[in-house]
Amino acid sequence: MKKLAIFMAISLHATTIANLLEAIKNTPDYKLDNVAVKEMKINKESIKGMLYPSISLFASKEHFNRYNSLIPLPPTESAELMAKNESLPFSQNIDRIGFSASMPIFVKEIYDNKKKMEQLVKATKILAKINLLKKEALLVTYVSKLNYLFKLKKALLKQKDSIQTTYKALKVGVNVGRIPEFKLVRLQDSLNQIKIKISSINSNIAQVQSDIYKLTKIYIKHPINITSGDVKKGDFISIKPLKSNLQASMYDIKAKKSAFYPKLILKASGNRAYAKAYNTDENIQEDFASVGIYLNWEIFNKKNSADIQKAKIEMIKNKLQISKTIKDLNAQIMQINHSINETIKQIKLTQKSIKLKKELLKGAKVAFKLNRMSVDDYLQYENDLTQAYANIANLIATKNTLKANKALIYGENLERIFK
């Protein structure tokens, strides 16, 4: 049990962003998207199935109030049977077994609907990929936020240690009466405020850990190292399913119009009838079969005309949705590119600022211990350095989130960008 606990601890600590991104594919959420694709493929196969023959078997037991023919009987054949005193195929009780089959020879509507379903399957596949990319981008955001919170907690712990060191040094001066006790109380209050902040951060860390677990089924205890590459410019992935939907709506219009085309259908049927002949009371059986090509031409149907208009409206909506999405995504990309550039500049400036604030804090500590600086001024230098650490961690998290969103828009593989 102890070995297992150690192994789990090592495994958790060794978790990488690549492991987490891969783990998303093992969750029920991802598998549900794949089920939707399979469902759409089955719908497509059901349309294709309409092109194949349909065959059915039947059996019947019928009673008539008057004698009925087992098979169509010409008058000449009936006269011959009567002359020979043979059984006539008429009875009030007739049993039948048989089959019927039909197959479309030309039904244009089926072909148009088949092409429509091909486009919808294509759109569903792309939507499944987009949903995966959304989860991956969200995961990068969560991990970046978790890293920020861990670094913020680390910065506060450093500040706490720094103030405690000062507190111990100051306590000596307070004990000999050289330094007012007020300053010591002020430092103690500052330490308490830091502990409150750390407690709040711990709650936020637990929430983000829960969010990551929902996406990956992995519980993260430590910061995850992330390095990010550049996102290549490409086509907007969210436009692809819209274009497929547009193609589907065009085929839908054709399919609705095809309802007015003539339909040619091949039909065949056959049965064997069993009965007792009405004139001899003998058991007889007769076979009857037919095969033919049938034309059905619907020249007027008000509902079909309305369906065509609905399909045209759907096509117009799809075209407008594509235009609107392209416009919105162009604006979003411009904003993201600008934000990434500014964030990188801010990271570099903040890194320089941290170096300066470290030096300033060293001087502030000396001045405060020599009683040449107020406690509030000293604590401000401590807060400034901690805030700078927090700012740079937040800027890095922001940069990762922006890149993840940009990769999502272009449909980029996040496993290539984030290592």
Side-chain angles (χ1 to χ4, degrees), residues 234-256:
D235 296 329
F236 298 144
I237 192 171
S238 57
I239 297 299
K240 293 179 180 179
L242 295 177
K243 286 183 176 178
S244 293
N245 286 336
L246 176 60
Q247 290 293 321
S249 64
M250 289 177 177
Y251 283 121
D252 192 36
I253 293 171
K254 289 183 178 181
K256 297 291 190 294

mmCIF file of all heavy atoms in Angstrom, residues 234-256:
data_model
loop_
_atom_site.group_PDB
_atom_site.id
_atom_site.type_symbol
_atom_site.label_atom_id
_atom_site.label_comp_id
_atom_site.label_asym_id
_atom_site.label_seq_id
_atom_site.Cartn_x
_atom_site.Cartn_y
_atom_site.Cartn_z
ATOM 1 N N GLY A 234 -4.157 29.992 -40.233
ATOM 2 C CA GLY A 234 -4.807 29.038 -41.130
ATOM 3 C C GLY A 234 -6.266 29.394 -41.327
ATOM 4 O O GLY A 234 -6.699 30.512 -41.023
ATOM 5 N N ASP A 235 -7.016 28.444 -41.830
ATOM 6 C CA ASP A 235 -8.451 28.666 -42.027
ATOM 7 C C ASP A 235 -9.172 28.557 -40.686
ATOM 8 O O ASP A 235 -8.755 27.805 -39.796
ATOM 9 C CB ASP A 235 -9.019 27.626 -43.000
ATOM 10 C CG ASP A 235 -8.414 27.753 -44.396
ATOM 11 O OD1 ASP A 235 -8.063 28.888 -44.775
ATOM 12 O OD2 ASP A 235 -8.279 26.727 -45.076
ATOM 13 N N PHE A 236 -10.249 29.290 -40.556
ATOM 14 C CA PHE A 236 -11.063 29.225 -39.344
ATOM 15 C C PHE A 236 -11.795 27.880 -39.315
ATOM 16 O O PHE A 236 -12.609 27.593 -40.190
ATOM 17 C CB PHE A 236 -12.078 30.366 -39.301
ATOM 18 C CG PHE A 236 -11.458 31.737 -39.260
ATOM 19 C CD1 PHE A 236 -12.057 32.796 -39.927
ATOM 20 C CD2 PHE A 236 -10.291 31.970 -38.561
ATOM 21 C CE1 PHE A 236 -11.500 34.063 -39.892
ATOM 22 C CE2 PHE A 236 -9.719 33.233 -38.517
ATOM 23 C CZ PHE A 236 -10.329 34.279 -39.187
ATOM 24 N N ILE A 237 -11.523 27.074 -38.290
ATOM 25 C CA ILE A 237 -12.102 25.737 -38.260
ATOM 26 C C ILE A 237 -13.620 25.772 -38.088
ATOM 27 O O ILE A 237 -14.334 24.899 -38.604
ATOM 28 C CB ILE A 237 -11.455 24.875 -37.149
ATOM 29 C CG1 ILE A 237 -11.855 23.412 -37.339
ATOM 30 C CG2 ILE A 237 -11.813 25.404 -35.760
ATOM 31 C CD1 ILE A 237 -11.108 22.445 -36.449
ATOM 32 N N SER A 238 -14.148 26.767 -37.389
ATOM 33 C CA SER A 238 -15.587 26.815 -37.152
ATOM 34 C C SER A 238 -16.381 27.164 -38.411
ATOM 35 O O SER A 238 -17.601 27.025 -38.437
ATOM 36 C CB SER A 238 -15.916 27.816 -36.038
ATOM 37 O OG SER A 238 -15.417 29.088 -36.356
ATOM 38 N N ILE A 239 -15.669 27.609 -39.480
ATOM 39 C CA ILE A 239 -16.341 27.885 -40.745
ATOM 40 C C ILE A 239 -16.617 26.585 -41.503
ATOM 41 O O ILE A 239 -17.584 26.482 -42.259
ATOM 42 C CB ILE A 239 -15.491 28.838 -41.619
ATOM 43 C CG1 ILE A 239 -15.318 30.188 -40.919
ATOM 44 C CG2 ILE A 239 -16.108 29.054 -42.988
ATOM 45 C CD1 ILE A 239 -16.623 30.915 -40.665
ATOM 46 N N LYS A 240 -15.763 25.580 -41.281
ATOM 47 C CA LYS A 240 -15.875 24.328 -42.046
ATOM 48 C C LYS A 240 -17.217 23.621 -41.851
ATOM 49 O O LYS A 240 -17.854 23.238 -42.837
ATOM 50 C CB LYS A 240 -14.709 23.406 -41.697
ATOM 51 C CG LYS A 240 -13.362 23.950 -42.170
ATOM 52 C CD LYS A 240 -12.216 23.024 -41.788
ATOM 53 C CE LYS A 240 -10.890 23.601 -42.273
ATOM 54 N NZ LYS A 240 -9.733 22.740 -41.897
ATOM 55 N N PRO A 241 -17.698 23.421 -40.604
ATOM 56 C CA PRO A 241 -19.018 22.787 -40.476
ATOM 57 C C PRO A 241 -20.145 23.659 -41.022
ATOM 58 O O PRO A 241 -21.146 23.136 -41.520
ATOM 59 C CB PRO A 241 -19.170 22.574 -38.966
ATOM 60 C CG PRO A 241 -18.214 23.517 -38.334
ATOM 61 C CD PRO A 241 -17.078 23.644 -39.289
ATOM 62 N N LEU A 242 -19.967 24.984 -40.952
ATOM 63 C CA LEU A 242 -20.985 25.877 -41.509
ATOM 64 C C LEU A 242 -21.069 25.730 -43.026
ATOM 65 O O LEU A 242 -22.157 25.751 -43.607
ATOM 66 C CB LEU A 242 -20.676 27.335 -41.134
ATOM 67 C CG LEU A 242 -20.753 27.685 -39.646
ATOM 68 C CD1 LEU A 242 -20.357 29.141 -39.429
ATOM 69 C CD2 LEU A 242 -22.145 27.439 -39.098
ATOM 70 N N LYS A 243 -19.905 25.562 -43.663
ATOM 71 C CA LYS A 243 -19.897 25.356 -45.120
ATOM 72 C C LYS A 243 -20.537 24.017 -45.482
ATOM 73 O O LYS A 243 -21.253 23.908 -46.486
ATOM 74 C CB LYS A 243 -18.466 25.421 -45.647
ATOM 75 C CG LYS A 243 -17.890 26.834 -45.683
ATOM 76 C CD LYS A 243 -16.492 26.856 -46.282
ATOM 77 C CE LYS A 243 -15.967 28.289 -46.408
ATOM 78 N NZ LYS A 243 -14.589 28.327 -46.955
ATOM 79 N N SER A 244 -20.280 23.007 -44.665
ATOM 80 C CA SER A 244 -20.910 21.703 -44.900
ATOM 81 C C SER A 244 -22.422 21.791 -44.716
ATOM 82 O O SER A 244 -23.188 21.193 -45.484
ATOM 83 C CB SER A 244 -20.327 20.645 -43.948
ATOM 84 O OG SER A 244 -18.975 20.399 -44.247
ATOM 85 N N ASN A 245 -22.840 22.555 -43.709
ATOM 86 C CA ASN A 245 -24.285 22.758 -43.505
ATOM 87 C C ASN A 245 -24.907 23.511 -44.677
ATOM 88 O O ASN A 245 -26.055 23.252 -45.054
ATOM 89 C CB ASN A 245 -24.530 23.528 -42.206
ATOM 90 C CG ASN A 245 -24.308 22.677 -40.976
ATOM 91 O OD1 ASN A 245 -24.406 21.457 -41.037
ATOM 92 N ND2 ASN A 245 -23.999 23.298 -39.856
ATOM 93 N N LEU A 246 -24.133 24.448 -45.232
ATOM 94 C CA LEU A 246 -24.617 25.189 -46.407
ATOM 95 C C LEU A 246 -24.813 24.232 -47.585
ATOM 96 O O LEU A 246 -25.839 24.278 -48.281
ATOM 97 C CB LEU A 246 -23.631 26.297 -46.772
ATOM 98 C CG LEU A 246 -23.954 27.105 -48.041
ATOM 99 C CD1 LEU A 246 -25.309 27.793 -47.923
ATOM 100 C CD2 LEU A 246 -22.853 28.124 -48.326
ATOM 101 N N GLN A 247 -23.811 23.363 -47.824
ATOM 102 C CA GLN A 247 -23.940 22.371 -48.890
ATOM 103 C C GLN A 247 -25.129 21.448 -48.635
ATOM 104 O O GLN A 247 -25.874 21.105 -49.563
ATOM 105 C CB GLN A 247 -22.655 21.540 -48.994
ATOM 106 C CG GLN A 247 -21.457 22.298 -49.531
ATOM 107 C CD GLN A 247 -21.640 22.701 -50.991
ATOM 108 O OE1 GLN A 247 -22.179 21.956 -51.790
ATOM 109 N NE2 GLN A 247 -21.201 23.915 -51.315
ATOM 110 N N ALA A 248 -25.304 21.065 -47.377
ATOM 111 C CA ALA A 248 -26.433 20.190 -47.017
ATOM 112 C C ALA A 248 -27.758 20.872 -47.304
ATOM 113 O O ALA A 248 -28.707 20.237 -47.801
ATOM 114 C CB ALA A 248 -26.345 19.806 -45.540
ATOM 115 N N SER A 249 -27.854 22.176 -47.014
ATOM 116 C CA SER A 249 -29.107 22.903 -47.272
ATOM 117 C C SER A 249 -29.387 23.018 -48.766
ATOM 118 O O SER A 249 -30.538 23.007 -49.193
ATOM 119 C CB SER A 249 -29.061 24.289 -46.623
ATOM 120 O OG SER A 249 -28.049 25.091 -47.192
ATOM 121 N N MET A 250 -28.328 23.112 -49.567
ATOM 122 C CA MET A 250 -28.508 23.149 -51.028
ATOM 123 C C MET A 250 -29.059 21.816 -51.547
ATOM 124 O O MET A 250 -29.959 21.787 -52.391
ATOM 125 C CB MET A 250 -27.180 23.466 -51.709
ATOM 126 C CG MET A 250 -26.702 24.896 -51.516
ATOM 127 S SD MET A 250 -25.078 25.191 -52.280
ATOM 128 C CE MET A 250 -24.865 26.950 -51.964
ATOM 129 N N TYR A 251 -28.495 20.704 -51.034
ATOM 130 C CA TYR A 251 -29.002 19.391 -51.428
ATOM 131 C C TYR A 251 -30.417 19.171 -50.898
ATOM 132 O O TYR A 251 -31.213 18.454 -51.512
ATOM 133 C CB TYR A 251 -28.072 18.292 -50.924
ATOM 134 C CG TYR A 251 -26.812 18.145 -51.736
ATOM 135 C CD1 TYR A 251 -25.552 18.301 -51.145
ATOM 136 C CD2 TYR A 251 -26.871 17.852 -53.098
ATOM 137 C CE1 TYR A 251 -24.397 18.177 -51.896
ATOM 138 C CE2 TYR A 251 -25.709 17.724 -53.850
ATOM 139 C CZ TYR A 251 -24.477 17.891 -53.248
ATOM 140 O OH TYR A 251 -23.338 17.764 -54.000
ATOM 141 N N ASP A 252 -30.707 19.793 -49.740
ATOM 142 C CA ASP A 252 -32.057 19.677 -49.182
ATOM 143 C C ASP A 252 -33.079 20.339 -50.106
ATOM 144 O O ASP A 252 -34.182 19.813 -50.302
ATOM 145 C CB ASP A 252 -32.099 20.322 -47.791
ATOM 146 C CG ASP A 252 -33.374 19.975 -47.039
ATOM 147 O OD1 ASP A 252 -33.855 18.844 -47.196
ATOM 148 O OD2 ASP A 252 -33.892 20.844 -46.320
ATOM 149 N N ILE A 253 -32.713 21.484 -50.679
ATOM 150 C CA ILE A 253 -33.592 22.152 -51.651
ATOM 151 C C ILE A 253 -33.825 21.243 -52.857
ATOM 152 O O ILE A 253 -34.960 21.069 -53.326
ATOM 153 C CB ILE A 253 -32.995 23.498 -52.107
ATOM 154 C CG1 ILE A 253 -32.967 24.489 -50.938
ATOM 155 C CG2 ILE A 253 -33.788 24.082 -53.270
ATOM 156 C CD1 ILE A 253 -32.203 25.768 -51.234
ATOM 157 N N LYS A 254 -32.730 20.647 -53.357
ATOM 158 C CA LYS A 254 -32.852 19.731 -54.501
ATOM 159 C C LYS A 254 -33.747 18.542 -54.162
ATOM 160 O O LYS A 254 -34.552 18.099 -54.990
ATOM 161 C CB LYS A 254 -31.468 19.230 -54.919
ATOM 162 C CG LYS A 254 -30.592 20.283 -55.580
ATOM 163 C CD LYS A 254 -29.266 19.671 -56.015
ATOM 164 C CE LYS A 254 -28.397 20.716 -56.719
ATOM 165 N NZ LYS A 254 -27.094 20.130 -57.166
ATOM 166 N N ALA A 255 -33.565 18.021 -52.940
ATOM 167 C CA ALA A 255 -34.372 16.867 -52.528
ATOM 168 C C ALA A 255 -35.852 17.224 -52.465
ATOM 169 O O ALA A 255 -36.711 16.436 -52.881
ATOM 170 C CB ALA A 255 -33.892 16.367 -51.171
ATOM 171 N N LYS A 256 -36.145 18.432 -51.942
ATOM 172 C CA LYS A 256 -37.550 18.856 -51.860
ATOM 173 C C LYS A 256 -38.133 19.040 -53.263
ATOM 174 O O LYS A 256 -39.288 18.691 -53.514
ATOM 175 C CB LYS A 256 -37.648 20.170 -51.074
ATOM 176 C CG LYS A 256 -37.198 20.076 -49.621
ATOM 177 C CD LYS A 256 -38.135 19.250 -48.793
ATOM 178 C CE LYS A 256 -37.846 19.348 -47.305
ATOM 179 N NZ LYS A 256 -36.568 18.790 -46.905
#
